[in-house]
Amino acid sequence: MTQHKSEIRDGMVVEWDVPIPMEDGMVLRGDVYRPIGDGRYPVIATHGPYGKGLAFQEGFAGPWKALATNHPEALAESSNKYQNWETVDPERWVPDGYVVIRVDARGAGRSPGHLDIFSPREIRDYYEVVEWAGTQPWSNGKVGLLGISYYAVSQWQVAALQPPHLAAIIPWEGASDHYREFTHHAGIPSTFVSRWYPAHVSSVQHGIGERGARNPNTGEPVAGPETLTEEELAVNRHDPRIELRAHPFDGEYYRERSADLEKITVPVLSAVNWGHHLHTRGGFEGYVRVSSEQKWLEVHGLDHITEFYTGHGLALQKRFFGHFLKGEDTGWDQQPPVQLNVRHVDGGFEPRAEQEWPLARTNWTRFYVHPQGRSLAEGSPADDGSVAFEALGDGVTFTTKPFTEEVEITGPAAARLFASSTTADADLFLTLRVLDTGGKDVRFVHAVDPAGPVGMGWLRASHRAVDPERSLPYRPWHPHDHAEPLAPGETVQLDIEIWPTSVVIPTGYRLALTVTGRDFEFPGDGPWPVAYGVEMKGQGIFLHEDPDDRPADIYGGTTTLVSGPDRPSYLLLPVIPRTAEATTDV
């Protein structure tokens, strides 16, 4: 039986496995870290399936080693005994007068029950966790949410339920659309879940017990105390890998696992990474669509966790929460609505304050596809042309001429391509690349891959239908609720969303658009970094290689791109001018 224990250690009162009752009688378990002595403090809460007692150092040894090696300052001034993946370090927050709580979601870690990630039941539990935290004797009644990835996705969801004691949220690199970001890319299933779920969710399901890891601070099983059989564990969980196969189209299953962003009204700081195949789009969509009168956007680069734990992120988080949870004068009232870190080809970033997203002064520029010369140019082609490629081959690349002056591209992008296939369907993978003066790729640090392209977009041709009411010129909206097979050889119009990006391209460099029928890979023999058994060649672990979903007889045909006066294929890019003049006609 799980026991609630309390002790004073490392300058904090730490309560292990605190029982948190749910409305249906289930009891979840949370760890509470709070200042010593009487007082009422704001609360920072997380709720999720990763195991609150699993040490960062053990459960995610690779990222921990990279953080310790490359950014040792992020781990200074802490014993690091309580570090937990993608959550705040209590030793960095409790001394500032905050209570930190971590709660295992139903069916995970120390919380019994049925495990069903991102489900309505799980998010309702989170609502009740927020309300429980807001009414405890050590709470000042204001609860803030802060965490990365899973702990950001669920923030968007629970904030839409409007728990009364929720005061502010910081979703840091988190998706907000379960279909378009977490499981599919424009209708093409991602195999990420099949690798992530067994490695990091079912591995700490409640009932793994003695077969799993132990909390180094308590000695107790991370996913216990009971130890269940494999058969019992299987009955106690929904397997999303099975669910995704059963639901190829967007619909109720995905909508009830996605945030109703327009219902969010609390202050929001949405922190986004330029290069994340799972989270980039959701952070921008969240910022734009929430109804909150007080909302901010921060965009950064580098890998998935660095900016969260290092000085830049920590200072931002404390200024935001100090203002909204404690009523302190942190200078947040002077914070610009949008804070960008504009990406440069040398790997550096240029901090810049902005007032809106997308930027009002954007010069929306069409770069037309010219098949004959495989080029991109601002002038449309005078004659019809086409280029064909084997869908499972290296595809086709179109490049601009070397730029005669520095060009900044910052914002969402899109493409309109006219294409046909020799089969009944085709998957299109669009990759934006920057080529240096020698024609070599400039590779950018991505959240999960140390070398990635500057931008990416996708579309399954049979999902080409668009919703005109929800579409924008720079962000087509596909309902993904049915399939329209292609007639072999028939040319169709494909409007393709390219996720937001940023880069300053120097004089003499070129921009390239590569179109393939499979995941893009940088040319060369490597060596390539490996994660989850995957060689990462530019797309990280976010691949689309499920043979059951992409049989070669359908997705291994020949794709032909067409461009001409009547059917101009083009790339729409957000070019940021040197002056403040805006061009809104797209």
Side-chain angles (χ1 to χ4, degrees):
M1 181 177 179
T2 302
Q3 296 293 326
H4 170 206
K5 300 177 182 179
S6 180
E7 59 182 323
I8 294 177
R9 53 188 296 167
D10 297 308
M12 303 179 290
V13 175
V14 183
E15 297 185 73
W16 307 107
D17 290 328
V18 178
I20 306 174
M22 299 291 104
E23 62 183 358
D24 65 350
M26 185 61 69
V27 175
L28 306 188
R29 295 286 173 167
D31 294 340
V32 177
Y33 305 82
R34 55 186 175 86
I36 297 171
D38 296 332
R40 293 181 178 271
Y41 307 96
V43 180
I44 299 173
T46 52
H47 166 271
Y50 286 161
K52 62 182 176 58
L54 182 62
F56 189 157
Q57 298 91 323
E58 179 181 355
F60 297 83
W64 176 265
K65 181 179 179 181
L67 187 63
T69 301
N70 301 326
H71 303 281
E73 72 280 4
L75 307 179
E77 301 178 8
S78 173
S79 72
N80 298 304
K81 295 177 185 176
Y82 312 99
Q83 290 278 20
N84 185 248
W85 175 244
E86 298 183 332
T87 67
V88 303
D89 179 2
E91 291 185 276
R92 288 191 167 231
W93 287 86
V94 173
D96 287 349
Y98 291 90
V99 175
V100 173
I101 69 171
R102 295 171 176 157
V103 181
D104 281 332
R106 184 180 300 230
R110 306 284 288 182
S111 295
H114 190 86
L115 178 62
D116 189 1
I117 60 171
F118 300 120
S119 65
R121 176 69 263 176
E122 183 176 275
I123 302 307
R124 180 64 195 184
D125 286 348
Y126 201 176
Y127 176 105
E128 294 184 43
V129 166
V130 171
E131 289 307 287
W132 175 87
T135 55
Q136 294 306 296
W138 32 256
S139 171
N140 73 349
K142 293 185 177 181
V143 179
L145 308 181
L146 171 58
I148 312 175
S149 191
Y150 199 105
Y151 301 107
V153 176
S154 57
Q155 284 184 58
W156 291 119
Q157 290 178 274
V158 74
L161 299 184
Q162 301 181 356
H165 287 89
L166 182 61
I169 64 172
I170 307 179
W172 197 281
E173 298 190 24
S176 56
D177 189 308
H178 200 66
Y179 186 89
R180 289 164 181 78
E181 297 150 15
F182 195 80
T183 65
H184 295 70
H185 286 134
I188 309 171
S190 167
T191 52
F192 164 76
V193 171
S194 67
R195 296 185 174 94
W196 161 79
Y197 187 81
H200 300 305
V201 180
S202 60
S203 62
V204 288
Q205 181 184 355
H206 181 82
I208 293 290
E210 296 294 337
R211 296 194 299 272
R214 289 185 176 271
N215 185 326
N217 295 302
T218 66
E220 296 288 333
V222 167
E226 59 185 337
T227 301
L228 303 179
T229 66
E230 291 297 335
E231 292 75 16
E232 289 172 317
L233 290 171
V235 170
N236 282 348
R237 67 173 179 257
H238 268 67
D239 190 331
R241 296 167 294 182
I242 297 173
E243 297 287 351
L244 300 190
R245 290 181 182 274
H247 299 90
F249 301 111
D250 195 7
E252 182 179 359
Y253 175 81
Y254 298 102
R255 291 305 93 213
E256 66 182 14
R257 287 165 173 77
S258 300
D260 193 343
L261 294 169
E262 286 75 12
K263 291 184 178 179
I264 296 175
T265 58
V266 296
V268 174
L269 169 58
S270 178
V272 187
N273 192 309
W274 289 120
H276 203 304
H277 289 61
L278 173 58
H279 298 315
T280 297
R281 180 185 188 275
F284 286 106
E285 283 286 309
Y287 171 75
V288 170
R289 289 173 49 197
V290 296
S291 298
S292 307
E293 292 183 2
Q294 301 180 92
K295 60 180 182 178
W296 290 264
L297 175 69
E298 185 275 345
V299 195
H300 54 266
L302 301 179
D303 63 77
H304 182 45
I305 62 173
T306 292
E307 296 290 25
F308 181 84
Y309 288 102
T310 52
H312 166 74
L314 191 62
L316 201 68
Q317 297 155 17
K318 288 192 173 183
R319 287 176 56 231
F320 181 79
F321 276 159
H323 180 82
F324 286 108
L325 302 187
K326 301 175 78 173
E328 296 177 343
D329 182 6
T330 65
W332 193 262
D333 57 341
Q334 301 300 313
Q335 179 73 13
V338 175
Q339 181 175 326
L340 303 181
N341 287 283
V342 177
R343 191 160 48 181
H344 284 257
V345 298
D346 63 357
F349 296 89
E350 172 192 345
R352 194 170 72 207
E354 298 287 353
Q355 295 301 309
E356 71 287 305
W357 182 267
L359 305 187
R361 65 183 184 280
T362 301
N363 183 2
W364 298 100
T365 305
R366 293 180 181 180
F367 289 81
Y368 290 89
V369 170
H370 291 253
Q372 294 89 337
R374 298 197 179 185
S375 63
L376 291 172
E378 292 190 44
S380 60
D383 301 307
D384 290 331
S386 64
V387 58
F389 62 90
E390 296 304 311
L392 301 183
D394 294 333
V396 60
T397 297
F398 305 94
T399 61
T400 65
K401 291 181 178 180
F403 289 114
T404 57
E405 61 180 16
E406 185 178 83
V407 174
E408 179 187 336
I409 296 169
T410 295
R416 172 168 292 176
L417 301 180
F418 291 88
S420 66
S421 173
T422 56
T423 69
D425 210 345
D427 286 343
L428 273 73
F429 297 73
L430 273 58
T431 305
L432 295 184
R433 304 159 65 184
V434 174
L435 307 179
D436 67 16
T437 55
K440 293 182 60 176
D441 277 286
V442 178
R443 302 182 183 186
F444 301 90
V445 175
H446 272 211
V448 187
D449 193 324
V454 76
M456 57 272 178
W458 308 261
L459 183 63
R460 175 156 287 180
S462 61
H463 286 231
R464 62 189 178 277
V466 297
D467 181 343
E469 293 186 1
R470 299 197 68 173
S471 292
L472 298 166
Y474 52 79
R475 195 224 53 200
W477 183 276
H478 301 274
H480 298 298
D481 56 5
H482 68 287
E484 298 178 52
L486 299 176
E490 179 187 6
T491 299
V492 296
Q493 177 178 310
L494 304 175
D495 291 303
I496 304 171
E497 177 182 6
I498 298 173
W499 287 14
T501 187
S502 176
V503 65
V504 176
I505 305 175
T507 301
Y509 284 53
R510 294 179 293 158
L511 180 72
L513 170 67
T514 295
V515 184
T516 59
R518 60 171 175 82
D519 289 301
F520 169 80
E521 297 178 354
F522 279 121
D525 298 325
W528 308 104
V530 177
Y532 297 89
V534 175
E535 283 191 326
M536 298 190 291
K537 302 179 179 180
Q539 303 299 318
I541 57 175
F542 301 99
L543 303 180
H544 309 79
E545 77 278 52
D546 183 348
D548 294 328
D549 173 74
R550 284 171 40 83
D553 61 333
I554 295 179
Y555 296 98
T558 299
T559 303
T560 300
L561 300 182
V562 174
S563 190
D566 296 327
R567 293 181 293 189
S569 292
Y570 60 83
L571 180 65
L572 179 67
L573 293 178
V575 176
I576 307 303
R578 293 179 180 274
T579 67
E581 296 178 1
T583 301
T584 58
D585 183 11
V586 295

